[in-house]
């Protein structure tokens, strides 16, 4: 067994030492543009729910795409379970890391079950025929997301909250260790926002999954995440628990707006309120 195979085997058994996701001195710029990431470094522990926060254009989605291996940084290093994305054999990274984008329109013509089965593509090989294990994984993903009753319905016939749960089910069918989500509740009402975040918390607790969720909603991240990472100017401005990061001085500097931070009496977690300008 070579070094790459040994590292993958260790990660599969939860034995990878150090952070599960590690980013060191990452720099990236789109062609002809200013740097989006400028020496960004962070480390995520296995089995944590992490909220990734920051102003518009701060590089949150770019970071996710680099973690997925879709973009190559100009410099710096990314390691997932001890390996760089390029070190994984073909298909191996897709079996470990799942991605939930904002948009779902490309799959609206399919049934819910067909959509979820798409998540098995990293496991089905070149011919793409599903076996008993693939069907079981798809059904389990439907069960976890409470979408079994929609299995034969078209995705386009579902509400926004139902559809988003199905897209998460598709990601879960990959049986990943790490799930990356790009503003998964951006267009949902408060009920469905909390339902999605409760689901992500269950995946962490019941599946041991590492969750990295991009959000513009500081209060949702505070309510559900174990840790938050706040990025600005292409770097990490603050990282830690919600109470450590969501502080008035930090937020007013990063977002360039006045806020007030209070603490929920029941949970002890901070929540952020805007302060009108004088």
């Amino acid at each position: 067994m070579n070094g790459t195979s040994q590292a993958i085997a260790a990660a599969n058994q939860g034995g990878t030492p150090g952070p599960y996701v590690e980013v060191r001195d990452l720099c990236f710029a789109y062609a002809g543009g200013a740097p989006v990431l400028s020496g960004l470094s962070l480390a995520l522990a296995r089995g944590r729910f992490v909220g990734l926060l920051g102003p518009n254009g701060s590089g949150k989605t770019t970071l996710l795409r680099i973690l997925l291996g879709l973009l190559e940084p100009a410099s710096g290093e990314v390691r997932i379970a001890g390996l760089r994305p390029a070190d994984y054999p073909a298909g191996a990274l897709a079996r470990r890391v799942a991605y939930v984008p904002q948009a779902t329109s490309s799959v609206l013509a399919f049934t819910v079950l067909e959509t979820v089965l798409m998540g098995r593509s990293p496991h089905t090989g070149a011919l793409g025929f599903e076996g008993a294990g693939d069907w079981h994984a798809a059904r389990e993903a439907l069960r976890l997301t409470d979408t079994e009753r929609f299995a034969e319905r078209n995705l386009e016939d579902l509400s926004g909250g139902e559809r988003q749960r199905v897209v998460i089910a598709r990601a879960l069918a990959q049986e990943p260790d790490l799930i990356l989500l790009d503003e998964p509740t951006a267009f949902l009402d408060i009920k469905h926002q909390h339902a999605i975040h409760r689901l992500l918390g269950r995946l962490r607790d019941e599946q041991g999954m590492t969750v990295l969720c991009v959000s513009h909603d500081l209060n949702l991240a505070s309510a559900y995440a174990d840790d938050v990472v706040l990025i600005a100017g292409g770097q990490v401005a603050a990282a830690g628990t919600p109470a450590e990061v969501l502080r008035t001085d930090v937020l007013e500097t990063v977002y360039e707006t006045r806020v007030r931070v209070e603490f929920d009496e029941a949970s002890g977690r901070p929540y952020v309120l805007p302060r009108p300008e004088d």
Side-chain angles (χ1 to χ4, degrees):
M1 183 179 291
N2 61 31
T4 297
S5 299
Q6 288 175 333
I8 292 175
N12 288 338
Q13 298 171 5
T16 304
Y20 189 69
V21 177
E22 189 170 17
V23 175
R24 301 175 186 168
D25 298 322
L26 206 62
C27 294
F28 179 86
Y30 292 97
V36 178
L37 302 177
S38 305
L40 184 144
S41 297
L42 60 85
L44 309 180
R46 189 184 182 105
R48 303 285 283 180
F49 185 159
V50 182
L52 183 60
L53 311 175
N56 291 332
S58 59
K60 301 182 295 297
T61 297
T62 297
L63 176 59
L64 293 193
R65 298 189 71 192
I66 291 173
L67 292 177
L68 289 162
L70 300 177
L71 294 175
E72 183 69 25
S75 61
E77 187 175 66
V78 169
R79 290 186 178 269
I80 298 174
L83 295 177
R84 296 173 301 177
D87 291 335
Y88 281 91
L93 185 63
R95 292 191 289 272
R96 180 171 302 285
V97 184
Y99 176 53
V100 176
Q102 291 184 45
T104 60
S105 57
S106 62
V107 295
L108 288 181
F110 295 92
T111 69
V112 166
L113 182 55
E114 289 169 339
T115 300
V116 175
L117 278 169
M118 291 176 189
R120 295 301 298 167
S121 58
H123 300 268
T124 54
L127 296 179
F129 295 125
E130 296 92 1
D134 301 308
W135 286 92
H136 174 77
R139 292 289 184 184
E140 179 65 8
L142 290 170
R143 184 191 68 80
L144 286 169
T145 55
D146 191 28
T147 53
E148 290 174 291
R149 62 189 183 277
F150 307 135
E152 304 306 322
R153 292 176 60 182
N154 285 339
L155 196 62
E156 63 186 348
D157 296 331
L158 303 184
S159 71
E162 292 165 345
R163 189 182 302 160
Q164 194 67 351
R165 296 210 310 274
V166 172
V167 176
I168 293 174
R170 181 181 62 181
L172 297 185
Q174 292 178 228
E175 299 182 300
D177 299 318
L178 170 66
I179 184 167
L180 309 176
L181 306 101
D182 193 356
E183 297 188 65
T185 62
F187 306 109
L188 303 183
D189 60 40
I190 188 170
K191 173 184 176 181
H192 290 104
Q193 288 176 344
H194 284 276
I196 293 297
H197 280 74
R198 284 194 298 270
L199 169 60
L200 296 175
R202 281 174 43 219
L203 295 175
R204 172 202 58 202
D205 296 339
E206 298 174 9
Q207 307 290 318
M209 201 171 292
T210 304
V211 178
L212 180 60
C213 183
V214 170
S215 179
H216 279 295
D217 193 318
L218 305 180
N219 293 327
L220 270 176
S222 178
Y224 289 96
D226 301 308
D227 311 297
V228 293
V229 176
L230 179 63
I231 65 175
Q235 298 180 333
V236 173
T241 66
E244 291 170 333
V245 173
L246 300 182
R247 305 194 328 258
T248 301
D249 58 332
V250 173
L251 297 177
E252 290 189 340
T253 299
V254 167
Y255 288 96
E256 300 179 339
T257 192
R258 298 181 66 192
V259 299
R260 184 172 81 250
V261 176
E262 303 286 350
F263 285 85
D264 181 74
E265 292 183 1
S267 67
R269 291 181 175 238
Y271 61 92
V272 183
L273 298 169
R275 291 178 61 192
E277 298 291 337
D278 293 334

